[in-house]
PDB file of all heavy atoms in Angstrom:
ATOM      1  N   VAL K   1      -1.285 -20.064   9.393  1.00 97.00           N
ATOM      2  CA  VAL K   1      -1.094 -18.633   9.353  1.00 97.00           C
ATOM      3  C   VAL K   1      -0.005 -18.219  10.349  1.00 97.00           C
ATOM      4  O   VAL K   1       0.953 -17.544  10.012  1.00 97.00           O
ATOM      5  CB  VAL K   1      -2.412 -17.910   9.654  1.00 97.00           C
ATOM      6  CG1 VAL K   1      -2.165 -16.444   9.972  1.00 97.00           C
ATOM      7  CG2 VAL K   1      -3.393 -18.039   8.508  1.00 97.00           C
ATOM      8  N   THR K   2      -0.189 -18.603  11.614  1.00 97.00           N
ATOM      9  CA  THR K   2       0.677 -18.158  12.671  1.00 97.00           C
ATOM     10  C   THR K   2       2.096 -18.690  12.473  1.00 97.00           C
ATOM     11  O   THR K   2       3.071 -17.965  12.746  1.00 97.00           O
ATOM     12  CB  THR K   2       0.161 -18.638  14.049  1.00 97.00           C
ATOM     13  OG1 THR K   2      -1.203 -18.245  14.145  1.00 97.00           O
ATOM     14  CG2 THR K   2       0.937 -18.036  15.188  1.00 97.00           C
ATOM     15  N   ALA K   3       2.257 -19.884  11.961  1.00 97.00           N
ATOM     16  CA  ALA K   3       3.570 -20.466  11.733  1.00 97.00           C
ATOM     17  C   ALA K   3       4.371 -19.627  10.753  1.00 97.00           C
ATOM     18  O   ALA K   3       5.576 -19.455  10.870  1.00 97.00           O
ATOM     19  CB  ALA K   3       3.443 -21.905  11.227  1.00 97.00           C
ATOM     20  N   ARG K   4       3.656 -19.075   9.752  1.00 97.00           N
ATOM     21  CA  ARG K   4       4.384 -18.237   8.765  1.00 97.00           C
ATOM     22  C   ARG K   4       4.814 -16.904   9.394  1.00 97.00           C
ATOM     23  O   ARG K   4       5.888 -16.412   9.061  1.00 97.00           O
ATOM     24  CB  ARG K   4       3.475 -18.006   7.538  1.00 97.00           C
ATOM     25  CG  ARG K   4       3.607 -19.179   6.566  1.00 97.00           C
ATOM     26  CD  ARG K   4       2.358 -19.677   5.972  1.00 97.00           C
ATOM     27  NE  ARG K   4       2.641 -20.865   5.181  1.00 97.00           N
ATOM     28  CZ  ARG K   4       2.706 -22.120   5.649  1.00 97.00           C
ATOM     29  NH1 ARG K   4       2.450 -22.319   6.953  1.00 97.00           N
ATOM     30  NH2 ARG K   4       2.994 -23.151   4.876  1.00 97.00           N
ATOM     31  N   MET K   5       4.027 -16.351  10.293  1.00 97.00           N
ATOM     32  CA  MET K   5       4.473 -15.168  10.999  1.00 97.00           C
ATOM     33  C   MET K   5       5.665 -15.497  11.896  1.00 97.00           C
ATOM     34  O   MET K   5       6.648 -14.741  11.946  1.00 97.00           O
ATOM     35  CB  MET K   5       3.333 -14.599  11.817  1.00 97.00           C
ATOM     36  CG  MET K   5       3.746 -13.348  12.626  1.00 97.00           C
ATOM     37  SD  MET K   5       2.490 -12.836  13.793  1.00 97.00           S
ATOM     38  CE  MET K   5       2.395 -14.267  14.850  1.00 97.00           C
ATOM     39  N   VAL K   6       5.607 -16.619  12.628  1.00 97.00           N
ATOM     40  CA  VAL K   6       6.706 -17.016  13.481  1.00 97.00           C
ATOM     41  C   VAL K   6       7.975 -17.272  12.647  1.00 97.00           C
ATOM     42  O   VAL K   6       9.064 -16.864  13.031  1.00 97.00           O
ATOM     43  CB  VAL K   6       6.336 -18.260  14.315  1.00 97.00           C
ATOM     44  CG1 VAL K   6       7.544 -18.797  15.117  1.00 97.00           C
ATOM     45  CG2 VAL K   6       5.189 -17.941  15.256  1.00 97.00           C
ATOM     46  N   PHE K   7       7.795 -17.901  11.483  1.00 97.00           N
ATOM     47  CA  PHE K   7       8.935 -18.113  10.566  1.00 97.00           C
ATOM     48  C   PHE K   7       9.524 -16.747  10.175  1.00 97.00           C
ATOM     49  O   PHE K   7      10.776 -16.575  10.168  1.00 97.00           O
ATOM     50  CB  PHE K   7       8.420 -18.827   9.319  1.00 97.00           C
ATOM     51  CG  PHE K   7       9.255 -18.614   8.079  1.00 97.00           C
ATOM     52  CD1 PHE K   7      10.425 -19.327   7.886  1.00 97.00           C
ATOM     53  CD2 PHE K   7       8.847 -17.701   7.112  1.00 97.00           C
ATOM     54  CE1 PHE K   7      11.189 -19.130   6.763  1.00 97.00           C
ATOM     55  CE2 PHE K   7       9.638 -17.500   5.973  1.00 97.00           C
ATOM     56  CZ  PHE K   7      10.803 -18.201   5.795  1.00 97.00           C
ATOM     57  N   SER K   8       8.656 -15.794   9.876  1.00 96.00           N
ATOM     58  CA  SER K   8       9.162 -14.460   9.455  1.00 96.00           C
ATOM     59  C   SER K   8       9.951 -13.782  10.595  1.00 96.00           C
ATOM     60  O   SER K   8      10.948 -13.117  10.339  1.00 96.00           O
ATOM     61  CB  SER K   8       7.996 -13.599   9.032  1.00 96.00           C
ATOM     62  OG  SER K   8       8.438 -12.341   8.558  1.00 96.00           O
ATOM     63  N   THR K   9       9.500 -13.965  11.847  1.00 96.00           N
ATOM     64  CA  THR K   9      10.254 -13.342  12.957  1.00 96.00           C
ATOM     65  C   THR K   9      11.648 -13.929  13.051  1.00 96.00           C
ATOM     66  O   THR K   9      12.572 -13.227  13.403  1.00 96.00           O
ATOM     67  CB  THR K   9       9.496 -13.517  14.300  1.00 96.00           C
ATOM     68  OG1 THR K   9       9.479 -14.917  14.654  1.00 96.00           O
ATOM     69  CG2 THR K   9       8.084 -13.010  14.209  1.00 96.00           C
ATOM     70  N   GLY K  10      11.736 -15.235  12.753  1.00 95.00           N
ATOM     71  CA  GLY K  10      13.067 -15.840  12.776  1.00 95.00           C
ATOM     72  C   GLY K  10      13.931 -15.299  11.627  1.00 95.00           C
ATOM     73  O   GLY K  10      15.096 -14.983  11.809  1.00 95.00           O
ATOM     74  N   ARG K  11      13.340 -15.216  10.455  1.00 94.00           N
ATOM     75  CA  ARG K  11      14.073 -14.700   9.283  1.00 94.00           C
ATOM     76  C   ARG K  11      14.532 -13.262   9.521  1.00 94.00           C
ATOM     77  O   ARG K  11      15.565 -12.842   9.076  1.00 94.00           O
ATOM     78  CB  ARG K  11      13.193 -14.799   8.048  1.00 94.00           C
ATOM     79  CG  ARG K  11      13.912 -14.390   6.758  1.00 94.00           C
ATOM     80  CD  ARG K  11      13.009 -14.600   5.571  1.00 94.00           C
ATOM     81  NE  ARG K  11      11.773 -13.826   5.658  1.00 94.00           N
ATOM     82  CZ  ARG K  11      10.743 -13.906   4.799  1.00 94.00           C
ATOM     83  NH1 ARG K  11      10.832 -14.817   3.850  1.00 94.00           N
ATOM     84  NH2 ARG K  11       9.686 -13.159   4.946  1.00 94.00           N
ATOM     85  N   ASP K  12      13.700 -12.486  10.220  1.00 93.00           N
ATOM     86  CA  ASP K  12      14.032 -11.091  10.526  1.00 93.00           C
ATOM     87  C   ASP K  12      14.908 -10.954  11.780  1.00 93.00           C
ATOM     88  O   ASP K  12      15.177  -9.835  12.202  1.00 93.00           O
ATOM     89  CB  ASP K  12      12.732 -10.275  10.765  1.00 93.00           C
ATOM     90  CG  ASP K  12      11.967 -10.091   9.478  1.00 93.00           C
ATOM     91  OD1 ASP K  12      12.553 -10.309   8.370  1.00 93.00           O
ATOM     92  OD2 ASP K  12      10.769  -9.752   9.531  1.00 93.00           O
ATOM     93  N   ALA K  13      15.344 -12.094  12.361  1.00 92.00           N
ATOM     94  CA  ALA K  13      16.224 -12.111  13.503  1.00 92.00           C
ATOM     95  C   ALA K  13      15.684 -11.300  14.679  1.00 92.00           C
ATOM     96  O   ALA K  13      16.336 -10.481  15.321  1.00 92.00           O
ATOM     97  CB  ALA K  13      17.596 -11.567  13.145  1.00 92.00           C
ATOM     98  N   ALA K  14      14.404 -11.538  14.994  1.00 94.00           N
ATOM     99  CA  ALA K  14      13.769 -10.844  16.136  1.00 94.00           C
ATOM    100  C   ALA K  14      14.214 -11.430  17.459  1.00 94.00           C
ATOM    101  O   ALA K  14      14.013 -10.764  18.493  1.00 94.00           O
ATOM    102  CB  ALA K  14      12.242 -10.920  15.992  1.00 94.00           C
ATOM    103  N   TRP K  15      14.753 -12.633  17.448  1.00 94.00           N
ATOM    104  CA  TRP K  15      15.122 -13.304  18.701  1.00 94.00           C
ATOM    105  C   TRP K  15      16.611 -13.596  18.736  1.00 94.00           C
ATOM    106  O   TRP K  15      17.317 -13.291  17.752  1.00 94.00           O
ATOM    107  CB  TRP K  15      14.331 -14.628  18.774  1.00 94.00           C
ATOM    108  CG  TRP K  15      12.908 -14.508  18.332  1.00 94.00           C
ATOM    109  CD1 TRP K  15      12.325 -15.081  17.245  1.00 94.00           C
ATOM    110  CD2 TRP K  15      11.885 -13.685  18.911  1.00 94.00           C
ATOM    111  NE1 TRP K  15      11.005 -14.709  17.135  1.00 94.00           N
ATOM    112  CE2 TRP K  15      10.706 -13.837  18.121  1.00 94.00           C
ATOM    113  CE3 TRP K  15      11.860 -12.836  20.025  1.00 94.00           C
ATOM    114  CZ2 TRP K  15       9.519 -13.185  18.448  1.00 94.00           C
ATOM    115  CZ3 TRP K  15      10.671 -12.190  20.307  1.00 94.00           C
ATOM    116  CH2 TRP K  15       9.538 -12.331  19.536  1.00 94.00           C
ATOM    117  N   PRO K  16      17.110 -14.145  19.829  1.00 92.00           N
ATOM    118  CA  PRO K  16      18.527 -14.515  19.860  1.00 92.00           C
ATOM    119  C   PRO K  16      18.871 -15.424  18.660  1.00 92.00           C
ATOM    120  O   PRO K  16      18.030 -16.187  18.215  1.00 92.00           O
ATOM    121  CB  PRO K  16      18.674 -15.280  21.172  1.00 92.00           C
ATOM    122  CG  PRO K  16      17.618 -14.670  22.038  1.00 92.00           C
ATOM    123  CD  PRO K  16      16.470 -14.365  21.159  1.00 92.00           C
ATOM    124  N   SER K  17      20.089 -15.356  18.167  1.00 92.00           N
ATOM    125  CA  SER K  17      20.487 -15.973  16.912  1.00 92.00           C
ATOM    126  C   SER K  17      20.121 -17.458  16.789  1.00 92.00           C
ATOM    127  O   SER K  17      19.529 -17.868  15.758  1.00 92.00           O
ATOM    128  CB  SER K  17      21.987 -15.816  16.698  1.00 92.00           C
ATOM    129  OG  SER K  17      22.391 -16.399  15.485  1.00 92.00           O
ATOM    130  N   PRO K  18      20.344 -18.324  17.795  1.00 95.00           N
ATOM    131  CA  PRO K  18      20.023 -19.735  17.621  1.00 95.00           C
ATOM    132  C   PRO K  18      18.511 -19.948  17.453  1.00 95.00           C
ATOM    133  O   PRO K  18      18.075 -20.803  16.665  1.00 95.00           O
ATOM    134  CB  PRO K  18      20.527 -20.383  18.918  1.00 95.00           C
ATOM    135  CG  PRO K  18      21.541 -19.476  19.437  1.00 95.00           C
ATOM    136  CD  PRO K  18      21.072 -18.100  19.072  1.00 95.00           C
ATOM    137  N   VAL K  19      17.713 -19.162  18.191  1.00 96.00           N
ATOM    138  CA  VAL K  19      16.241 -19.278  18.104  1.00 96.00           C
ATOM    139  C   VAL K  19      15.769 -18.803  16.727  1.00 96.00           C
ATOM    140  O   VAL K  19      14.969 -19.462  16.051  1.00 96.00           O
ATOM    141  CB  VAL K  19      15.542 -18.489  19.229  1.00 96.00           C
ATOM    142  CG1 VAL K  19      14.032 -18.532  19.059  1.00 96.00           C
ATOM    143  CG2 VAL K  19      15.979 -19.021  20.572  1.00 96.00           C
ATOM    144  N   SER K  20      16.280 -17.660  16.291  1.00 94.00           N
ATOM    145  CA  SER K  20      15.861 -17.093  15.002  1.00 94.00           C
ATOM    146  C   SER K  20      16.247 -18.047  13.859  1.00 94.00           C
ATOM    147  O   SER K  20      15.427 -18.250  12.944  1.00 94.00           O
ATOM    148  CB  SER K  20      16.545 -15.754  14.801  1.00 94.00           C
ATOM    149  OG  SER K  20      16.038 -14.773  15.673  1.00 94.00           O
ATOM    150  N   LYS K  21      17.447 -18.632  13.905  1.00 94.00           N
ATOM    151  CA  LYS K  21      17.882 -19.523  12.842  1.00 94.00           C
ATOM    152  C   LYS K  21      16.949 -20.772  12.792  1.00 94.00           C
ATOM    153  O   LYS K  21      16.604 -21.238  11.684  1.00 94.00           O
ATOM    154  CB  LYS K  21      19.333 -19.939  13.081  1.00 94.00           C
ATOM    155  CG  LYS K  21      19.905 -20.796  11.948  1.00 94.00           C
ATOM    156  CD  LYS K  21      21.364 -21.101  12.208  1.00 94.00           C
ATOM    157  CE  LYS K  21      21.951 -21.955  11.046  1.00 94.00           C
ATOM    158  NZ  LYS K  21      23.380 -22.247  11.288  1.00 94.00           N
ATOM    159  N   ALA K  22      16.611 -21.306  13.904  1.00 96.00           N
ATOM    160  CA  ALA K  22      15.736 -22.480  13.987  1.00 96.00           C
ATOM    161  C   ALA K  22      14.356 -22.146  13.408  1.00 96.00           C
ATOM    162  O   ALA K  22      13.807 -22.913  12.609  1.00 96.00           O
ATOM    163  CB  ALA K  22      15.611 -23.009  15.409  1.00 96.00           C
ATOM    164  N   LEU K  23      13.781 -21.013  13.820  1.00 97.00           N
ATOM    165  CA  LEU K  23      12.448 -20.684  13.370  1.00 97.00           C
ATOM    166  C   LEU K  23      12.378 -20.389  11.891  1.00 97.00           C
ATOM    167  O   LEU K  23      11.325 -20.505  11.260  1.00 97.00           O
ATOM    168  CB  LEU K  23      11.944 -19.459  14.168  1.00 97.00           C
ATOM    169  CG  LEU K  23      11.710 -19.675  15.690  1.00 97.00           C
ATOM    170  CD1 LEU K  23      11.266 -18.388  16.328  1.00 97.00           C
ATOM    171  CD2 LEU K  23      10.643 -20.770  15.890  1.00 97.00           C
ATOM    172  N   ALA K  24      13.497 -19.990  11.311  1.00 95.00           N
ATOM    173  CA  ALA K  24      13.531 -19.660   9.886  1.00 95.00           C
ATOM    174  C   ALA K  24      13.813 -20.883   8.997  1.00 95.00           C
ATOM    175  O   ALA K  24      13.878 -20.753   7.780  1.00 95.00           O
ATOM    176  CB  ALA K  24      14.573 -18.589   9.618  1.00 95.00           C
ATOM    177  N   ALA K  25      13.924 -22.051   9.600  1.00 96.00           N
ATOM    178  CA  ALA K  25      14.218 -23.244   8.852  1.00 96.00           C
ATOM    179  C   ALA K  25      13.000 -23.680   7.985  1.00 96.00           C
ATOM    180  O   ALA K  25      11.863 -23.576   8.390  1.00 96.00           O
ATOM    181  CB  ALA K  25      14.585 -24.399   9.775  1.00 96.00           C
ATOM    182  N   ILE K  26      13.278 -24.171   6.753  1.00 95.00           N
ATOM    183  CA  ILE K  26      12.259 -24.616   5.855  1.00 95.00           C
ATOM    184  C   ILE K  26      12.487 -26.112   5.568  1.00 95.00           C
ATOM    185  O   ILE K  26      13.637 -26.523   5.339  1.00 95.00           O
ATOM    186  CB  ILE K  26      12.312 -23.835   4.525  1.00 95.00           C
ATOM    187  CG1 ILE K  26      11.933 -22.395   4.761  1.00 95.00           C
ATOM    188  CG2 ILE K  26      11.337 -24.473   3.485  1.00 95.00           C
ATOM    189  CD1 ILE K  26      11.998 -21.521   3.547  1.00 95.00           C
ATOM    190  N   HIS K  27      11.441 -26.911   5.681  1.00 94.00           N
ATOM    191  CA  HIS K  27      11.559 -28.341   5.506  1.00 94.00           C
ATOM    192  C   HIS K  27      12.051 -28.656   4.077  1.00 94.00           C
ATOM    193  O   HIS K  27      11.463 -28.140   3.098  1.00 94.00           O
ATOM    194  CB  HIS K  27      10.220 -29.054   5.751  1.00 94.00           C
ATOM    195  CG  HIS K  27      10.301 -30.485   5.976  1.00 94.00           C
ATOM    196  ND1 HIS K  27      10.507 -31.377   4.893  1.00 94.00           N
ATOM    197  CD2 HIS K  27      10.279 -31.255   7.105  1.00 94.00           C
ATOM    198  CE1 HIS K  27      10.572 -32.636   5.382  1.00 94.00           C
ATOM    199  NE2 HIS K  27      10.397 -32.586   6.718  1.00 94.00           N
ATOM    200  N   PRO K  28      13.057 -29.468   3.904  1.00 92.00           N
ATOM    201  CA  PRO K  28      13.619 -29.725   2.582  1.00 92.00           C
ATOM    202  C   PRO K  28      12.672 -30.424   1.616  1.00 92.00           C
ATOM    203  O   PRO K  28      12.813 -30.321   0.411  1.00 92.00           O
ATOM    204  CB  PRO K  28      14.871 -30.558   2.864  1.00 92.00           C
ATOM    205  CG  PRO K  28      14.605 -31.184   4.196  1.00 92.00           C
ATOM    206  CD  PRO K  28      13.793 -30.205   4.958  1.00 92.00           C
ATOM    207  N   LYS K  29      11.694 -31.192   2.137  1.00 92.00           N
ATOM    208  CA  LYS K  29      10.791 -31.953   1.285  1.00 92.00           C
ATOM    209  C   LYS K  29       9.467 -31.216   1.138  1.00 92.00           C
ATOM    210  O   LYS K  29       8.932 -31.074   0.004  1.00 92.00           O
ATOM    211  CB  LYS K  29      10.545 -33.331   1.864  1.00 92.00           C
ATOM    212  CG  LYS K  29       9.566 -34.166   1.018  1.00 92.00           C
ATOM    213  CD  LYS K  29       9.393 -35.576   1.601  1.00 92.00           C
ATOM    214  CE  LYS K  29       8.453 -36.409   0.782  1.00 92.00           C
ATOM    215  NZ  LYS K  29       8.263 -37.765   1.320  1.00 92.00           N
ATOM    216  N   PHE K  30       8.866 -30.753   2.221  1.00 93.00           N
ATOM    217  CA  PHE K  30       7.535 -30.165   2.177  1.00 93.00           C
ATOM    218  C   PHE K  30       7.556 -28.656   1.889  1.00 93.00           C
ATOM    219  O   PHE K  30       6.486 -28.092   1.570  1.00 93.00           O
ATOM    220  CB  PHE K  30       6.793 -30.421   3.477  1.00 93.00           C
ATOM    221  CG  PHE K  30       6.667 -31.873   3.812  1.00 93.00           C
ATOM    222  CD1 PHE K  30       7.088 -32.341   5.054  1.00 93.00           C
ATOM    223  CD2 PHE K  30       6.178 -32.787   2.913  1.00 93.00           C
ATOM    224  CE1 PHE K  30       7.029 -33.686   5.410  1.00 93.00           C
ATOM    225  CE2 PHE K  30       6.081 -34.118   3.222  1.00 93.00           C
ATOM    226  CZ  PHE K  30       6.503 -34.598   4.472  1.00 93.00           C
ATOM    227  N   GLY K  31       8.694 -28.015   2.035  1.00 92.00           N
ATOM    228  CA  GLY K  31       8.784 -26.595   1.792  1.00 92.00           C
ATOM    229  C   GLY K  31       8.044 -25.728   2.794  1.00 92.00           C
ATOM    230  O   GLY K  31       7.728 -24.584   2.508  1.00 92.00           O
ATOM    231  N   SER K  32       7.773 -26.294   3.969  1.00 95.00           N
ATOM    232  CA  SER K  32       7.039 -25.567   5.008  1.00 95.00           C
ATOM    233  C   SER K  32       8.009 -25.065   6.101  1.00 95.00           C
ATOM    234  O   SER K  32       9.065 -25.643   6.276  1.00 95.00           O
ATOM    235  CB  SER K  32       5.957 -26.524   5.645  1.00 95.00           C
ATOM    236  OG  SER K  32       6.632 -27.579   6.314  1.00 95.00           O
ATOM    237  N   PRO K  33       7.561 -24.030   6.824  1.00 96.00           N
ATOM    238  CA  PRO K  33       8.398 -23.572   7.978  1.00 96.00           C
ATOM    239  C   PRO K  33       8.189 -24.492   9.146  1.00 96.00           C
ATOM    240  O   PRO K  33       7.429 -24.192  10.099  1.00 96.00           O
ATOM    241  CB  PRO K  33       7.835 -22.166   8.203  1.00 96.00           C
ATOM    242  CG  PRO K  33       6.452 -22.206   7.762  1.00 96.00           C
ATOM    243  CD  PRO K  33       6.399 -23.205   6.610  1.00 96.00           C
ATOM    244  N   TRP K  34       8.778 -25.660   9.133  1.00 97.00           N
ATOM    245  CA  TRP K  34       8.386 -26.774   9.997  1.00 97.00           C
ATOM    246  C   TRP K  34       8.696 -26.542  11.465  1.00 97.00           C
ATOM    247  O   TRP K  34       7.876 -26.909  12.334  1.00 97.00           O
ATOM    248  CB  TRP K  34       8.995 -28.079   9.494  1.00 97.00           C
ATOM    249  CG  TRP K  34      10.473 -28.199   9.628  1.00 97.00           C
ATOM    250  CD1 TRP K  34      11.440 -27.593   8.858  1.00 97.00           C
ATOM    251  CD2 TRP K  34      11.187 -29.018  10.575  1.00 97.00           C
ATOM    252  NE1 TRP K  34      12.677 -27.964   9.256  1.00 97.00           N
ATOM    253  CE2 TRP K  34      12.568 -28.808  10.301  1.00 97.00           C
ATOM    254  CE3 TRP K  34      10.781 -29.853  11.607  1.00 97.00           C
ATOM    255  CZ2 TRP K  34      13.541 -29.462  11.058  1.00 97.00           C
ATOM    256  CZ3 TRP K  34      11.795 -30.530  12.311  1.00 97.00           C
ATOM    257  CH2 TRP K  34      13.146 -30.305  12.050  1.00 97.00           C
TER     258      TRP K  34
END
């Protein structure tokens, strides 16, 4: 649950750009916000 919220904060650019971009990453095989 929490990982998806953290992913969303990255997608919404709530943090400095490098942090937000990393948090918004999706695993290419598992499709999870890894």
Side-chain angles (χ1 to χ4, degrees):
V1 167
T2 309
R4 276 139 184 84
M5 179 188 61
V6 173
F7 157 80
S8 183
T9 67
R11 185 176 61 187
D12 290 344
W15 319 115
S17 181
V19 176
S20 291
K21 185 176 180 181
L23 294 177
I26 295 177
H27 196 283
K29 180 178 181 181
F30 303 127
S32 64
W34 68 285

